[in-house]
Amino acid sequence: MTIHIGAAPGDIAETVLMPGDPYRAKWAAETFLEDARLVNEVRGMLGYTGTWNGHRVTIQGSGMGMPSLSIYANELIRDYGAKTLIRIGSCGGMQDKVKVRDVILAMTASTVNSPSSGIFRELNFAPCADWGLLQAAAQAAAKRGSATHIGGIYSSDVFYDERPDLNEQMVRHGILGVEMEAAELYTLAARHGCRALAVLTVSDHLGTGEALSSDQRERSFGDMAEIALEAAFS
Ligand code: HPA
């Protein structure tokens, strides 16, 4: 048991999928895992452990934003021995070629600020995905025929952004989409010698204003979970 996770030692698998929404964790565990068991419900941030094709997997909500994800990822890694952490979540599309419902595999994650910024001081650390996971996820996405983009994303620390110029610079530099968690996940994984990846679905588009319906959200969320599971164990 840690401050934010009530799981017993051994209740958490080495491979953890991390959706932002705890109810997505419940849905994915009930949909994709066998013998899924609730292992955490502290603060309603649900976590389940079960098996997928015989492999042990935990699906643990991260909450929204880097400070929340940082709490769960730190405890999963440092206290429960998690080794592979894959964020599955949504993002806003930033390029014309990126359409709503497309999948983005985040090779890098740029930030203005993250919970880890303080330790880097004058350094601009470049948070990046684990290459093996990225490659495996690209193959899994291609096999499913998902429209997929691989490249840089922007991990913002605000949803209601008062600095549109920052998004403009990201768009100008080819950034594919914006979300709020991946950069800190990649940084923590680097610090602790773990593997990390963010598999994202474009839920809305900053340029066109288009957005997924809740039905489409559910379907695309399932696609992401399967891509993440295949990548983790390939
Ligand atoms: N900003 C930040 N996070 C997001 C967005 C967005 O526009 N869309 C989905 N996640």
Side-chain angles (χ1 to χ4, degrees):
M1 224 172 119
T2 57
I3 295 174
H4 304 93
I5 302 177
D11 269 356
I12 303 284
E14 283 194 359
T15 298
V16 185
L17 266 50
M18 302 187 77
D21 177 353
Y23 285 106
R24 293 282 189 205
K26 180 177 193 307
W27 181 85
E30 287 169 354
T31 307
F32 297 109
L33 302 188
E34 280 168 34
D35 305 319
R37 191 165 57 84
L38 180 71
V39 292
N40 182 50
E41 53 183 336
V42 175
R43 290 177 183 246
M45 197 57 75
L46 306 175
Y48 295 81
T49 296
T51 62
W52 179 80
N53 285 351
H55 303 286
R56 264 185 108 224
V57 181
T58 294
I59 306 182
Q60 168 66 53
S62 70
M64 291 179 281
M66 291 182 270
S68 178
L69 175 130
S70 167
I71 288 171
Y72 294 100
N74 262 296
E75 293 180 15
L76 289 166
I77 294 169
R78 301 194 320 187
D79 300 297
Y80 290 100
K83 298 274 184 257
T84 296
L85 300 98
I86 305 181
R87 160 162 160 70
I88 46 177
S90 61
C91 69
M94 293 189 115
Q95 302 291 328
D96 291 342
K97 69 179 179 187
V98 173
K99 309 291 183 202
V100 163
R101 237 199 134 213
D102 287 0
V103 171
I104 293 178
L105 304 178
M107 192 154 71
T108 64
S110 300
T111 55
V112 171
N113 200 20
S114 81
S116 290
S117 298
I119 65 173
F120 290 117
R121 298 170 189 246
E122 63 269 55
L123 276 170
N124 277 311
F125 180 71
C128 74
D130 176 81
W131 167 244
L133 280 180
L134 180 61
Q135 195 178 32
Q139 281 167 3
K143 206 169 75 187
R144 304 172 64 78
S146 311
T148 306
H149 308 269
I150 305 173
I153 62 156
Y154 171 35
S155 296
S156 175
D157 51 10
V158 280
F159 187 88
Y160 296 104
D161 201 343
E162 300 283 344
R163 288 280 309 274
D165 58 307
L166 295 175
N167 286 345
E168 277 167 32
Q169 289 302 339
M170 292 287 92
V171 171
R172 186 169 163 233
H173 288 83
I175 290 300
L176 299 169
V178 53
E179 51 83 87
M180 300 182 65
E181 292 83 14
E184 181 65 6
L185 178 65
Y186 289 4
T187 303
L188 289 171
R191 192 178 309 151
H192 295 287
C194 297
R195 306 194 301 165
L197 177 66
V199 180
L200 306 167
T201 302
V202 180
S203 61
D204 52 84
H205 199 286
L206 271 61
T208 65
E210 201 189 340
L212 280 185
S213 68
S214 56
D215 245 28
Q216 290 171 315
R217 268 175 196 266
E218 183 155 314
R219 224 170 316 132
S220 62
F221 186 77
D223 288 346
M224 280 189 291
E226 289 190 307
I227 290 168
L229 288 164
E230 277 185 42
F233 300 109
S234 68

